[in-house]
Amino acid sequence: MISCDTAKNMLSDYLEHTLSPDEQSSVEEHLAHCYQCKRVFDDVAYLTEKLRALPVIRPSEDFDGQLRLRIAEEYAQNTHPVISKKGFTFGLSGAALIAVITFFVLTTNSPEPQPLIQQSTNQIISKANQMSAPIVRNQAVRNNPAVKLADQNDSLNQQPQKVNQANIKLVDQVKN
């Protein structure tokens, strides 16, 4: 016996009697045993009968030409410039590239970047010194051993020590 899918695919040919005798009997056997395919067959047979009962409509001689003319007129009225996806993507990429280049040019070729940074750094240091001044002037804080040790190790407060040049030996001198 044939499958439901095969039977459904053969229904139109079965109704039009274009199947071979073996195929015709296979479809009939399937329809006798399968309720769902029988319902589909009945629906297709009913619709086919109703469609054949409709009157035949004959188009006019110039139907094709008139239809093409109407389509052309409709197309001409409704044409709008359409931006293609590819063109839009390239345009957007170009705009982004220009924005990035402009950003780098404006930020790297700034005429006075250092004075602004230096000025703000000096302001921060000045403010820090103002805030720490009362603490540094306090005698108890200055006598604290931890503060004294920190002051001794602070390279900014110390003067560089003089190096005795007699003790410096170059690598070439050591080998000889």
Side-chain angles (χ1 to χ4, degrees):
M1 188 156 95
I2 60 174
S3 68
C4 290
D5 289 336
T6 304
K8 288 175 185 175
N9 287 335
M10 299 170 81
L11 283 181
S12 293
D13 293 331
Y14 176 77
L15 285 170
E16 295 174 4
H17 304 291
T18 57
L19 295 176
S20 69
D22 289 339
E23 291 173 329
Q24 190 89 6
S25 63
S26 295
V27 172
E28 287 172 358
E29 181 184 347
H30 184 82
L31 292 176
H33 295 340
C34 182
Y35 174 74
Q36 290 177 342
C37 289
K38 176 69 172 146
R39 285 196 61 196
V40 172
F41 169 75
D42 290 341
D43 289 343
V44 171
Y46 176 78
L47 288 173
T48 303
E49 181 185 326
K50 291 296 182 183
L51 286 172
R52 287 185 178 150
L54 289 174
V56 177
I57 300 174
R58 304 266 183 233
S60 64
E61 295 283 331
D62 60 343
F63 175 79
D64 187 61
Q66 289 179 358
L67 179 63
R68 290 176 189 272
L69 182 63
R70 286 178 56 194
I71 291 171
E73 288 173 355
E74 189 75 25
Y75 179 76
Q77 290 175 356
N78 293 329
T79 56
H80 300 287
V82 178
I83 299 173
S84 70
K85 220 177 199 182
K86 188 176 183 180
F88 182 71
T89 303
F90 283 129
L92 194 57
S93 299
L97 181 62
I98 290 170
V100 169
I101 290 171
T102 303
F103 173 77
F104 281 115
V105 166
L106 291 177
T107 57
T108 58
N109 291 336
S110 177
E112 298 175 2
Q114 285 295 47
L116 293 175
I117 294 170
Q118 189 64 36
Q119 181 182 9
S120 62
T121 306
N122 289 340
Q123 287 174 347
I124 292 170
I125 292 171
S126 171
K127 191 70 169 174
N129 288 337
Q130 288 172 3
M131 293 171 65
S132 65
I135 297 171
V136 173
R137 278 185 251 145
N138 185 339
Q139 190 67 27
V141 172
R142 285 196 349 232
N143 291 336
N144 185 326
V147 172
K148 285 182 179 181
L149 182 64
D151 285 343
Q152 288 173 359
N153 293 331
D154 188 1
S155 63
L156 295 177
N157 292 332
Q158 293 180 358
Q159 295 295 324
Q161 296 178 358
K162 290 190 175 185
V163 177
N164 185 356
Q165 292 183 351
N167 293 334
I168 298 176
K169 293 184 180 177
L170 299 176
V171 175
D172 292 339
Q173 292 174 347
V174 174
K175 287 181 184 178
N176 294 332

